[in-house]
C-alpha cells in the first residue's frame, strides 16, 4: 500500500486501530506547523499520529499571503534573525524541498521621494545578503529609474513615482503545500487523521499521556496514547494547553484579509509592495489573478471563522487606488478571504501593547516553544515561511520528556512528495501532453500542483478520458483533480476540494457554487455518496458561500459575525 495516499478508507482503517496503539508523539493541529512537526518527528525515527479538527490547512495555513518571503518590514523592526532565517528557508523551498509548488515572483517598491532610494535600497541589499551563500534560485534586486518602473508596471500613476527597486520573493499555494507536507509525513509512516477534534488530554500522575479525540465523521471517541503531545494548534494553542490543566501562554489572533481581482484589471509584469501607516500593502500575481493584502487587526470573535468585512475590502481597494491609474471598484473583486495570525503573549505581561489599538502589525513574528505541563510541548507564533524551523525546534524540545537523544533534523535535505525528478519531468512536458491528449498548458498547470505525482493524475485520465475535461463551473481545473483529491489527498467534503485542494472558492465570482454539483458528483462516485448525501454537501457548501458573501458586505466584525451566524447552520462544517 502507498502510505502517502490519504483516503477515507485508509482513515477509517487507521481509526479502528488508533486506540490500541501507543505513539511517541501525538501532534495536535494539521496546519503547516503541525504537518511539519509530524514530518520532522517521523524522519527522526519517532512514531507519530497527527490529529486535526477540520481539514488539512483549514485554518490559518490556507489563508496566508501565499508567499515564502523574508519580510522586508521585519528589517525595520531590526529583527534581522527572523529575516535571515526566512530567506534561507525560502531558498531551500525553491532549490530542494518543493520546487514544483513554488515560483519566484518580482515585486516593485516604488519611490515617491528621492531620499527613499538609498534608504530602501540599503534594506533590499541587506535582504539579498542574508540569502543562502551562492544561491541563484531567486534573482537579486535591481534599481530602476522612473521610466523603467512605469515600463514594468504601466498601471501605476506616473505623478507619484520617482523611481523604484525591484526584488523577488516566492509564490506558493499554501493549502496544497501544507497537504503535501502531511502526505510526505504519511509516506514515512506518520498516521494523519483529519476531522478529529481533541476534546481532552489523558493524564496520569501529573503527566500528559495522550489525547481524547472526537471523530467528527462518525461521532465516536477514541483515546490516543502518546508519550508526548505536541500542541501545534495555532490560534487555538492556548485552548489546547488549557485542556492539559495549564495555561502559561495567551494567543492573540490578528486578522489578515486579502482580495482577488482578475489579471486584466492591473496592467503589470510585477507585483508591488508599498508602506502604509503601520504596515505594508502588497499586490502579488496569483496565476490569472492579482492578490491584494493585507489588513492586520485584532480579531475578538470565534477563531474557527474569521470573516472579512466591507471595511476590510474598502481599505485594500483604497490602498490599491492610491497607486493605480485605473481605479478598482468593489465590482472588480472576484474573491475575498480572511485568516488569523497566531501572535503570542505570555500571560501576566506582553499583551498590553495590543490593547487600545486595532493594529497588530507591530507584534513580532518570532516563534516560541513552551514546555509544560509535563508531557506536552507547545509551538506557536512564527510565520508560514519558517514552519520547518518551528517544527524542528518543537521536536527537539519533545526529546526531553521522551528522555531520548534524537538524531538531528533532516528536513532541510528531505524533498517533499513530487519534488524528486521534477525538473527532468518538466523537460518532458510536450511528450506528456501528447500521451495524455492534453494541451501543454494543462501539463504545466498539473506539474505546478503535483510535481512528479502528475503521472498519478494522468493515469486517472488514461483510465477514464472524461476526467481530462475541465471541471464544469471551474474551467481552470480538470475533473481528474477532484477525483485525485479524494483518492490521495484526504478530501472528505466538498469544501475541502473547492476551497483547499483547488482554489475555486477564491478564483470564481460565484465562489464555486456553479462547480459544486459537478464536483460533488465526482466525489460521490469515489466515496459512495447517494443523491441525498450529494444534495447535503452541495447545500452545506452553498450556505457557507452565501454566509461569507453576506458577511463580507457588513461594515464591522461584529455585524459580519452576526450575519454569518444567522445564515450558516454549522460553522464547523467547513
Amino acid at each position: 500500500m502507498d502510505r502517502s495516499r490519504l483516503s477515507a478508507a485508509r482513515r477509517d482503517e487507521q481509526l479502528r486501530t488508533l486506540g490500541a496503539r501507543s505513539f511517541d508523539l501525538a501532534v495536535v493541529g494539521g496546519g503547516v506547523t503541525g504537518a511539519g512537526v509530524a514530518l520532522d518527528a517521523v524522519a527522526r525515527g519517532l512514531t507519530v499520529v497527527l490529529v486535526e479538527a477540520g481539514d488539512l490547512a483549514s485554518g490559518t495555513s490556507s489563508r496566508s499571503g501565499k508567499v515564502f518571503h523574508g519580510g522586508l518590514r521585519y528589517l525595520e523592526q531590526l529583527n534581522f534573525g527572523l529575516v535571515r532565517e526566512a530567506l534561507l528557508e525560502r531558498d531551500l523551498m525553491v532549490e530542494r524541498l518543493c520546487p514544483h509548488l513554488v515560483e519566484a515572483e518580482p515585486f516593485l517598491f516604488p519611490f515617491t521621494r528621492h531620499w527613499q532610494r538609498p534608504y530602501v535600497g540599503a534594506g533590499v541589499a541587506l535582504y539579498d545578503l542574508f540569502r543562502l551563500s551562492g544561491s541563484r534560485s531567486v534573482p537579486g534586486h535591481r534599481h530602476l529609474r522612473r521610466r523603467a518602473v512605469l515600463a514594468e508596471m504601466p498601471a501605476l500613476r506616473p505623478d507619484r513615482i520617482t523611481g523604484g527597486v525591484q526584488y523577488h520573493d516566492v509564490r506558493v499555494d499554501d493549502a496544497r503545500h501544507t497537504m503535501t507536507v502531511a502526505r510526505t509525513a504519511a509516506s514515512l509512516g506518520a498516521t494523519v487523521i483529519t476531522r478529529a477534534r481533541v476534546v481532552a488530554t489523558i493524564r496520569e500522575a501529573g503527566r500528559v499521556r495522550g489525547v481524547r479525540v472526537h471523530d467528527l465523521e462518525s461521532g465516536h471517541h477514541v483515546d490516543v496514547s502518546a508519550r508526548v503531545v505536541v500542541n501545534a494548534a495555532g490560534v487555538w494553542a492556548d485552548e489546547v494547553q488549557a485542556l492539559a490543566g495549564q495555561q502559561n501562554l495567551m494567543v492573540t489572533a490578528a486578522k489578515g484579509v486579502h482580495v482577488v481581482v482578475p489579471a486584466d484589471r492591473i496592467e503589470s509584469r510585477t507585483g508591488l509592495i508599498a508602506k502604509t501607516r503601520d504596515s505594508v500593502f502588497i499586490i502579488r500575481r496569483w496565476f490569472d489573478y492579482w492578490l491584494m493584502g493585507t489588513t492586520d487587526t485584532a480579531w475578538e470573535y470565534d477563531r474557527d471563522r474569521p470573516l472579512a468585512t466591507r471595511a476590510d475590502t474598502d481599505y485594500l481597494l483604497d490602498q490599491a487606488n492610491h497607486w493605480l491609474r485605473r481605479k478598482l471598484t468593489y465590482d472588480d473583486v472576484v474573491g475575498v478571504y480572511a485568516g488569523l495570525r497566531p501572535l503570542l503573549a505570555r500571560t501576566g505581561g506582553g499583551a498590553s501593547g495590543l490593547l487600545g489599538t486595532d493594529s497588530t502589525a507591530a507584534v513580532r513574528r518570532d516563534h516560541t516553544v513552551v514546555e509544560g505541563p509535563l508531557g506536552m510541548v507547545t509551538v506557536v507564533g512564527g510565520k508560514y515561511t519558517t514552519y520547518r524551523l518551528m517544527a524542528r525546534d518543537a521536536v527537539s524540545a519533545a526529546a526531553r520528556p521522551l528522555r531520548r537523544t534524537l538524531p538531528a533534523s533532516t528536513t532541510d535535505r528531505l524533498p517533499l512528495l513530487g519534488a524528486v525528478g521534477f525538473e527532468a519531468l518538466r523537460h518532458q512536458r510536450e511528450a506528456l501532453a501528447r500521451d495524455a491528449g492534453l494541451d501543454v498548458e494543462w501539463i504545466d498547470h498539473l506539474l505546478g500542483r503535483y510535481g512528479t505525482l502528475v503521472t498519478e493524475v494522468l493515469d486517472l485520465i488514461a483510465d477514464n478520458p472524461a476526467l481530462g475535461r475541465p471541471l464544469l463551473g471551474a474551467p481552470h481545473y480538470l475533473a481528474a483533480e477532484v477525483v485525485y483529491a479524494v483518492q490521495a489527498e484526504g478530501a472528505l467534503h466538498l469544501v475541502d476540494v473547492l476551497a483547499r485542494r483547488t482554489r475555486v472558492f477564491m478564483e470564481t465570482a460565484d465562489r464555486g457554487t456553479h462547480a459544486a454539483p459537478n464536483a460533488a458528483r465526482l466525489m460521490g462516485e469515489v466515496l459512495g455518496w447517494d443523491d441525498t448525501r450529494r444534495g447535503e454537501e452541495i447545500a452545506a457548501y452553498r450556505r457557507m458561500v452565501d454566509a461569507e458573501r453576506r458577511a463580507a458586505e457588513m461594515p464591522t466584525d461584529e455585524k459580519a459575525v452576526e450575519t454569518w451566524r444567522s445564515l450558516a447552520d454549522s460553522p464547523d462544517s467547513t
Side-chain angles (χ1 to χ4, degrees), residues 266-278:
I266 301 174
E267 185 183 0
S268 181
R269 292 195 294 268
T270 180
L272 175 139
I273 180 170
K275 278 188 63 62
T276 65
R277 181 175 58 84
D278 54 10

Side-chain angles (χ1 to χ4, degrees), residues 207-261:
R207 180 189 175 100
V208 176
R209 295 287 186 180
V211 292
R212 175 163 294 170
V213 172
H214 178 206
D215 174 14
L216 299 177
E217 296 296 295
S218 69
H220 298 152
H221 290 75
V222 60
D223 288 347
V224 180
S225 176
R227 296 175 63 194
V228 176
V229 173
V230 177
N231 172 12
V235 293
W236 300 274
D238 50 0
E239 297 175 12
V240 172
Q241 193 190 54
L243 292 176
Q246 178 175 317
Q247 193 168 12
N248 61 357
L249 58 86
M250 181 176 69
V251 177
T252 297
K255 185 179 75 166
V257 173
H258 290 80
V259 299
V260 183
V261 300

Side-chain angles (χ1 to χ4, degrees), residues 11 45 51 72 82 90 121 132 160 240 261 271 280 300 323 391 395 418 422 481 521 558:
R11 177 186 182 276
V51 290
L72 274 177
L82 177 60
R90 181 199 69 179
L132 188 64
R160 294 195 179 277
V240 172
V261 300
V280 293
E300 300 172 351
W323 295 100
V395 175
F422 168 65
E481 297 182 74
R521 176 184 58 79
E558 181 180 9

